[in-house]
Amino acid sequence: RALNLARSLAAPLSSSRALRRQVRSMSTDGKGKKLVLAYSGGLDTSTQLRWLADKGYEVVAFCANLGQGGGMADEDFAAVEAKALKSGAKKVYIIDLQEEFVKDYVFPIIRSNAIYENRYMLGTSIARPCIAKTQVAIALKEGCTHISHGSTGKGNDQVRFELSTYALAAGLECVVPWRIPEFYNKFQGRQDLLAYAKERGIPIAMDAGNRPPYSMDDNLYHISFESGILEDPAATPPESTHRYTQPLAKCKETPDDVQIFYEKGDPVRVKNLTTGEEASTPATILRLLNRLGGAHAIGRIDIVENRFVGIKSRGVYETPGGTILRAAHLDIEALTIDREVQRIRDQLTVKYSELVYNGFWFSPEMEFLQNSMDFSQRHVNGEVRLRLFRGMPMCLGRSSDNSLYKKDMVSMDVEGGFDVSMSEGFIKTLSRRLRAYRNMAYPQGYPIPKITVEGKTKV
């Protein structure tokens, strides 16, 4: 028995040692293997592309156009394509996913009021399944055996990319350089990456100059800043982190009024009431609101969040258009959703947001929740008018043909079908359990403060 006990106690340690040996001896031989790399055009993924090619992998590079720049600036995808080819890619896919990204990924989280830990609007999280789905499609088209991405071994994105891959297709494996000892021991800093890029002929003109002391990730929904000097949660972010939003001291001096029209919880048209400018497709709606909201310093947060992998991280996020859409959606919902349905939906929103953040977009529980969310939105139709000014979207009014709000019923001036004589019985019925608890918990009476001052009497 003692021997069996000793063996059982030693088993986890032995297993851990075996795992470490397996990691150390992980084969990096890519000969005869073909993979799709999620490619951004930056130094990290360009270096990884060349390194994977050097290891024998046939690399297909894929860069998703998700509206990087948010409508304020556009990515030079021709330069990204040329850099991928010079870095060793056999083929490059640049695919415009802007409308699909907003319609099929951003709008569902707006319909669901999704927000992680009450503040983060999931801008990076929701982009990963969109990229992964197309990456898998390319892998199947090209006959690839593997996919790869540039995420680190400490972050959330590795989980999001790989859970999506395994959920969507059978037979694909993931090769992640930042988890391979040979790679991360070789490249221990930016200078190592630059030296390798120079040695292997990777274009580095866009990487070798003055680089911001933090990392960035952007799409049409948001931009994020983290790492570098931002790893100190007490450090004030530099003004250069204002990319999608103006600093409050420099924002527009006069307000802009907008009108947003919703159908089944989705924004279908936006009108700038100040200028008359309109947008009516998912991507153009978000692009217009980004520009308007950014000018008024709307949608910027600086938070510490809990990563899925078990560590805390600090991030600065700008989501101007998404912040406006969410504010308007909350207003039109308040007019059109039943109280109890809204309360149940709000409880589900917490779990929904966690699933998006943690990478379970393609999961059975997400299918269930999304269908529940969409069912709750059947009557969320109408329009909301907002004033954008000084960092805030302020509601000016809302209307809907499906409104549950009855003016006569709430009016203090009109009886409106509400029999006020019933209120007394309603209140006494509700108070029954409160009185029962008082009698049980405080048999001598609830402690009421004594009044030590005398009231004045009328002379």
Side-chain angles (χ1 to χ4, degrees):
R1 288 179 180 173
L3 181 59
N4 288 337
L5 176 61
R7 285 173 175 167
S8 67
L9 291 172
L13 180 59
S14 175
S15 175
S16 177
R17 287 172 178 164
L19 180 59
R20 287 198 295 271
R21 285 196 300 271
Q22 180 182 352
V23 170
R24 283 196 297 268
S25 63
M26 186 183 296
S27 173
T28 56
D29 181 15
K31 188 175 181 180
K33 299 173 184 175
K34 189 175 182 180
L35 63 76
V36 183
L37 171 67
Y39 182 72
S40 68
L43 179 63
D44 282 23
T45 52
S46 295
T47 304
Q48 290 166 33
L49 195 167
R50 182 67 265 171
W51 187 84
L52 289 166
D54 286 348
K55 292 300 175 183
Y57 289 97
E58 182 180 345
V59 181
V60 177
F62 159 55
C63 182
N65 177 359
L66 299 183
Q68 289 88 327
M72 273 62 78
D74 292 321
E75 185 89 5
D76 185 353
F77 287 104
V80 171
E81 180 181 22
K83 187 173 183 178
L85 291 170
K86 289 182 180 179
S87 299
K90 295 294 184 181
K91 188 180 290 189
V92 181
Y93 284 84
I94 307 286
I95 300 181
D96 188 343
L97 298 175
Q98 293 181 81
E99 292 290 348
E100 177 184 339
F101 172 56
V102 180
K103 178 178 179 290
D104 296 339
Y105 296 87
V106 173
F107 280 4
I109 65 174
I110 295 293
R111 290 198 299 272
S112 307
N113 295 329
I115 192 164
Y116 181 69
E117 294 184 340
N118 299 311
R119 294 192 288 177
Y120 174 46
M121 293 187 63
L122 301 163
T124 296
S125 313
I126 197 59
R128 299 318 184 221
C130 179
I131 296 171
K133 188 176 182 180
T134 302
Q135 186 178 14
V136 167
I138 293 171
L140 296 177
K141 178 179 185 291
E142 290 289 334
C144 296
T145 55
H146 295 72
I147 67 102
S148 186
H149 56 79
S151 308
T152 69
K154 289 185 178 181
N156 296 309
D157 280 344
Q158 58 179 336
V159 182
R160 296 164 182 155
F161 275 118
E162 293 172 49
L163 287 181
S164 295
T165 298
Y166 293 135
L168 290 169
L172 288 175
E173 294 297 329
C174 300
V175 178
V176 185
W178 282 121
R179 295 204 303 255
I180 298 174
E182 182 183 345
F183 184 87
Y184 64 69
N185 286 329
K186 180 179 178 67
F187 302 107
Q188 298 189 11
R190 181 170 175 79
Q191 292 309 311
D192 293 336
L193 294 170
L194 285 169
Y196 181 79
K198 185 176 181 180
E199 174 192 336
R200 302 297 292 116
I202 300 171
I204 59 172
M206 66 179 72
D207 303 304
N210 293 326
R211 178 176 177 264
Y214 43 76
S215 67
M216 296 181 290
D217 181 81
D218 61 330
N219 57 54
L220 194 51
Y221 187 48
H222 96 145
I223 187 169
S224 66
F225 309 89
E226 61 180 11
S227 74
I229 62 172
L230 299 176
E231 288 175 353
D232 178 2
T236 301
E239 191 166 302
S240 59
T241 59
H242 285 270
R243 298 293 182 99
Y244 284 16
T245 69
Q246 287 291 327
L248 195 58
K250 297 181 180 179
C251 69
K252 194 174 176 184
E253 295 284 345
T254 55
D256 282 297
D257 293 347
V258 297
Q259 186 176 28
I260 305 176
F261 298 84
Y262 285 86
E263 290 181 7
K264 296 183 178 180
D266 280 344
V268 293
R269 184 162 66 94
V270 171
K271 183 175 183 179
N272 182 346
L273 297 176
T274 308
T275 65
E277 184 180 5
E278 294 193 21
S280 58
T281 71
T284 58
I285 284 172
L286 196 51
R287 194 176 289 267
L288 173 58
L289 291 177
N290 277 343
R291 181 162 48 81
L292 292 173
H296 292 285
I298 290 170
R300 180 180 171 89
I301 60 172
D302 179 346
I303 65 172
V304 173
E305 69 199 63
N306 291 295
R307 287 183 180 173
F308 189 30
V309 294
I311 58 179
K312 289 184 182 288
S313 66
R314 189 263 190 99
V316 177
Y317 303 106
E318 295 182 322
T319 319
T323 299
I324 296 167
L325 288 175
R326 186 173 192 273
H329 182 259
L330 288 169
D331 258 300
I332 196 64
E333 268 196 340
L335 201 63
T336 56
I337 287 189
D338 172 77
R339 179 186 72 180
E340 295 306 314
V341 171
Q342 185 172 359
R343 289 176 179 177
I344 294 171
R345 194 284 316 278
D346 287 349
Q347 293 172 18
L348 295 177
T349 292
V350 175
K351 183 62 178 177
Y352 182 101
S353 303
E354 290 177 358
L355 291 176
V356 175
Y357 186 85
N358 293 341
F360 289 93
W361 184 260
F362 301 108
S363 67
E365 59 269 38
M366 179 55 83
E367 284 189 6
F368 165 75
L369 285 177
Q370 191 66 69
N371 278 283
S372 299
M373 297 295 182
D374 293 347
F375 189 84
S376 75
Q377 300 293 296
R378 292 170 301 153
H379 306 303
V380 181
N381 307 308
E383 58 83 31
V384 180
R385 283 163 291 115
L386 299 168
R387 174 157 293 164
L388 312 179
F389 193 56
R390 296 292 183 189
M392 291 289 294
M394 296 165 282
C395 185
L396 300 176
R398 76 287 286 166
S399 65
S400 172
D401 291 339
N402 301 109
S403 175
L404 295 173
Y405 182 95
K406 305 301 178 186
K407 182 180 177 181
D408 288 348
M409 193 170 288
V410 299
S411 173
M412 296 297 181
D413 302 317
V414 181
E415 189 271 334
F418 190 97
D419 188 346
V420 296
S421 67
M422 294 182 179
S423 294
E424 182 177 355
F426 173 71
I427 295 168
K428 286 187 174 180
T429 299
L430 291 177
S431 72
R432 190 180 304 279
R433 67 181 182 87
L434 306 181
R435 287 180 284 167
Y437 175 74
R438 180 200 62 208
N439 294 337
M440 178 277 292
Y442 305 97
Q444 305 304 318
Y446 198 90
I448 304 293
K450 291 183 179 181
I451 305 299
T452 59
V453 297
E454 295 295 330
K456 292 184 179 180
T457 58
K458 183 179 180 179
V459 179

